């Protein structure tokens, strides 16, 4: 069987995953507009500092991410800090799950939780039990807030548990967030084994975690990586495609939906893709003369500007603000001051920061709303496939969704090539 020549457009986690799957069976050329791989989950250099474009969290259930990391020689046991599931808001709900088999880790964690009354614990356990019994599925997709109303969840529970959970898991406010997508996240994190629910925090930067070793592995396996190369033209021709005038047997378009639409046109895409909306994520990085003393590696605030704070192994402090209404956020200077004030609520003696940086990802994730169009890997064009966190998947915009979509596109391409 001949080896197909394949163009992969986009070297985010989806494009890298597709390339890794295809490099052993084809001649892979990766086109990436940026100077480095990693897309929305990568290192960004800032003078002397090496930051990420945003603090990321993985969970034990990210099987395909972990599998591909191992495949390219990145050892997740060393590169990720594994923590048992916990939820620690300094001024709100505090819950830690003990090392017991599922679901007992969750049951005991919930029973011992601080910040919820016994009545609220009962209501939360009942709602999670309902979901568990239905196989973590909802018959009809609707908003999370509609589902919570039907489950008679008390207002205090909405504010202390569900709202911050939905914001951090889906980066979408619960009034408009999809219950079906949330149920998938809960199934993976709470419905599997205890290890599935573990939180995995990168010890170093995001590029070192996967994109850098993936690129090295791809080169070793004969793939060609073209950075700083934005693809502007893709056309189908008899038995193949032309990418920037160069002939390939097939192409995987692993870019964000608005870039994919520009490349392959609306006709080849299901209606609705062009109407997708997005939410931003702000990450505020600070460096102090000493590490910030957080009570937990991942510490939240129920009533603050910041949603979650991380004191990173490299001495940096990262504060995440999910899906903010950009119109209500203060100027950058005022935002940094608000984040410092939030940090001092958990570490009162904290000095003034030596350095600060605000990283804004305006279109960090698609809005995980009910009835979203998730196109399949196969497009309306022969030999052209889609990958990306927004392509057919039950997940919100996550690293795992992106990697699975890349593996899925590679599978579809291989099947078509072999048939
Ligand atoms: C701040 C932030 C925080 C996040 N936190 C988490 C988290 O905690 N956990 C989690 O699981 N997920 C998180 N996510 C989501 C996760 O980062 C994304 O779902 C994932 O990185 C998307 O990968 P992708 O490959 O689908 O797309 P992208 O990363 O967008 O990759 C697309 C690539 O294509 C390139 N490209 C675009 N057009 C062209 C063109 N015409 N020619 C060539 N190249 C092109 C782009 O430069 C880019 O490198 C977060 C995202 C952000 C932004």
């Amino acid at each position: 069987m001949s080896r197909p020549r394949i163009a992969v457009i986009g070297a985010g986690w989806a494009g890298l995953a597709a390339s890794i799957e295809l490099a052993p069976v084809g001649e892979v050329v990766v086109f990436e507009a940026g100077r480095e791989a990693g897309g929305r989950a990568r290192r960004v250099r800032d003078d002397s500092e090496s930051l990420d474009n945003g603090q990321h969290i993985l969970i034990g259930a990210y099987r395909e991410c972990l599998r591909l990391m191992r495949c390219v020689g990145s050892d997740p046991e060393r590169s990720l800090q594994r923590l048992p599931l916990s939820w620690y808001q300094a001024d709100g709900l505090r819950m830690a799950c003990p090392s017991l088999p599922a679901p007992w880790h969750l049951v005991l964690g919930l029973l011992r939780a601080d910040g919820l009354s016994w009545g609220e614990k009962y209501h939360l356990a009942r709602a999670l039990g309902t979901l568990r019994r239905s196989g973590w599925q909802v018959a009809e997709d609707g908003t999370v807030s509609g589902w919570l109303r039907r489950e008679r969840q008390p207002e205090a529970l909405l504010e202390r548990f569900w709202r911050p959970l939905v914001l951090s898991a889906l980066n979408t406010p619960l009034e408009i967030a999809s219950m079906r997508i949330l149920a998938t996240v809960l199934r993976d994190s709470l419905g599997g084994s205890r290890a599935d629910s573990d939180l995995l925090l990168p010890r170093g930067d995001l590029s070192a975690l996967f994109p850098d070793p993936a690129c090295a592995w791809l080169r070793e396996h004969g793939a060609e990586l073209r950075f700083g190369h934005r693809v502007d033209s893709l056309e189908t021709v008899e038995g193949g495609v032309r990418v920037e005038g160069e002939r390939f047997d097939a192409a995987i378009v692993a870019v964000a939906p608005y870039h994919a639409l520009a490349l392959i046109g609306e006709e080849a895409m299901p209606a609705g893709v062009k109407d997708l909306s997005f939410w931003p994520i702000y990450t505020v990085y600070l460096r102090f003369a000493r590490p910030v003393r957080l009570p937990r590696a991942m510490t939240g605030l129920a009533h603050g500007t910041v949603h979650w704070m991380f004191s990173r192994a490299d001495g940096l402090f990262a504060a995440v603000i999910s899906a903010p209404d950009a119109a209500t956020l203060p100027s950058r200077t005022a935002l940094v001051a608000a984040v410092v004030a939030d940090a001092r609520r958990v570490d009162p003696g904290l000095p003034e920061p030596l350095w600060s940086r605000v990283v804004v990802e305006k279109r960090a994730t698609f809005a995980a709303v009910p009835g979203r169009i998730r196109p399949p890997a196969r497009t309306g064009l022969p030999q052209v496939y889609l990958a990306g966190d927004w392509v057919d998947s039950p997940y919100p915009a996550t690293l795992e969704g992106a990697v699975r979509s890349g593996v899925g596109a590679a599978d579809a391409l291989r099947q078509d090539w072999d048939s």
Side-chain angles (χ1 to χ4, degrees), residues 228-269:
H229 199 132
R230 175 175 293 280
V231 172
D232 290 318
S233 92
L234 184 153
E235 50 177 330
T236 52
V237 291
E238 183 63 37
V241 290
R242 258 184 216 289
V243 175
E244 303 281 284
E246 193 175 334
R247 194 192 155 90
F248 291 88
D249 294 304
I252 293 186
V253 177
V255 303
Y258 36 91
H259 289 137
L261 273 171
L263 262 183
I264 69 173
E266 277 180 33
E267 314 77 53
M269 204 78 94

Side-chain angles (χ1 to χ4, degrees), residues 9-15 31-34 38-41 53-57 62 229-231 254-256 259 263 281 283 361 364-365 388-389 397-400 402:
I9 303 165
W13 288 49
F31 293 87
E32 168 53 51
R40 273 172 287 152
N53 68 316
Q55 172 70 43
H56 278 61
I57 309 153
Y62 279 16
H229 199 132
R230 175 175 293 280
V231 172
V255 303
H259 289 137
L263 262 183
I281 297 180
T283 308
E361 283 280 2
T365 67
D389 58 2
T398 54
L399 298 172
E400 181 70 0

Side-chain angles (χ1 to χ4, degrees), residues 61-347:
Y62 279 16
R63 288 204 173 73
E64 286 297 273
C65 280
L66 299 174
R67 176 179 74 81
L68 287 192
M69 275 178 211
R70 287 190 190 99
C71 167
V72 299
S74 164
D75 177 2
E77 303 310 320
R78 290 160 64 111
S79 52
L80 293 164
Q81 183 187 6
R82 186 177 271 271
L83 303 167
L85 177 65
S86 75
W87 178 275
Y88 189 98
Q89 285 182 313
D91 58 349
L93 174 59
R94 293 188 290 279
M95 179 173 131
C97 292
S99 290
L100 289 175
W104 302 110
H105 70 310
L106 183 62
V107 172
L108 203 62
L110 197 53
L111 281 175
R112 288 183 186 162
D114 285 332
L116 290 181
S117 68
W118 283 105
E120 287 156 2
K121 287 179 190 178
Y122 164 77
H123 281 287
L124 180 53
R126 210 192 50 185
L128 291 174
T130 305
L131 263 184
R132 190 181 168 83
R133 280 191 300 280
S134 64
W136 305 96
Q137 283 178 354
V138 287
E140 251 179 58
D141 199 6
T143 62
V144 174
S145 62
W147 187 84
L148 295 175
R149 245 193 332 272
R150 283 194 297 284
E151 289 298 315
R152 297 178 198 285
Q153 296 291 283
E155 192 59 33
L157 197 51
L158 246 68
E159 294 310 318
R160 283 186 210 150
F161 179 75
W162 290 106
R163 183 176 297 285
L165 172 77
V166 174
L167 212 50
S168 49
L170 271 51
N171 196 38
T172 306
L174 62 76
E175 286 78 8
I176 58 167
S178 154
M179 187 57 210
R180 185 166 281 167
I181 299 181
L182 179 67
T184 303
V185 173
L186 292 173
R187 178 198 68 198
D188 278 11
S189 48
L190 303 180
S193 71
R194 190 190 56 75
D196 282 353
S197 67
D198 285 347
L199 302 174
L200 310 179
L201 301 185
R203 289 188 197 275
D205 69 51
L206 284 170
S207 295
L209 192 59
F210 179 61
D212 286 352
C215 289
W217 187 94
L218 283 168
R219 286 195 182 97
E220 273 167 33
H221 288 75
E224 188 187 334
L225 307 179
R226 298 186 192 167
F227 290 108
H229 199 132
R230 175 175 293 280
V231 172
D232 290 318
S233 92
L234 184 153
E235 50 177 330
T236 52
V237 291
E238 183 63 37
V241 290
R242 258 184 216 289
V243 175
E244 303 281 284
E246 193 175 334
R247 194 192 155 90
F248 291 88
D249 294 304
I252 293 186
V253 177
V255 303
Y258 36 91
H259 289 137
L261 273 171
L263 262 183
I264 69 173
E266 277 180 33
E267 314 77 53
M269 204 78 94
V273 170
K274 68 176 183 346
D275 302 323
L276 293 179
S277 55
F278 302 85
W279 282 94
I281 297 180
Y282 281 51
T283 308
V284 180
Y285 288 103
L286 302 173
R287 191 176 280 288
F288 296 92
R290 64 160 175 83
V292 180
R293 293 179 197 120
L294 293 181
R296 297 287 182 281
M298 178 176 160
T299 298
L301 284 177
H303 309 285
T305 303
V306 168
H307 294 127
W308 293 100
M309 300 179 275
F310 302 80
S311 192
R312 293 169 42 137
D314 49 13
L316 266 185
F317 171 82
V320 175
I321 306 166
S322 299
D325 177 356
T328 63
L329 280 183
S331 68
R332 289 196 178 211
T333 316
L335 184 61
V336 169
V339 171
V340 173
D342 277 353
R344 285 196 179 122
R345 288 170 60 189
V346 290
D347 186 352

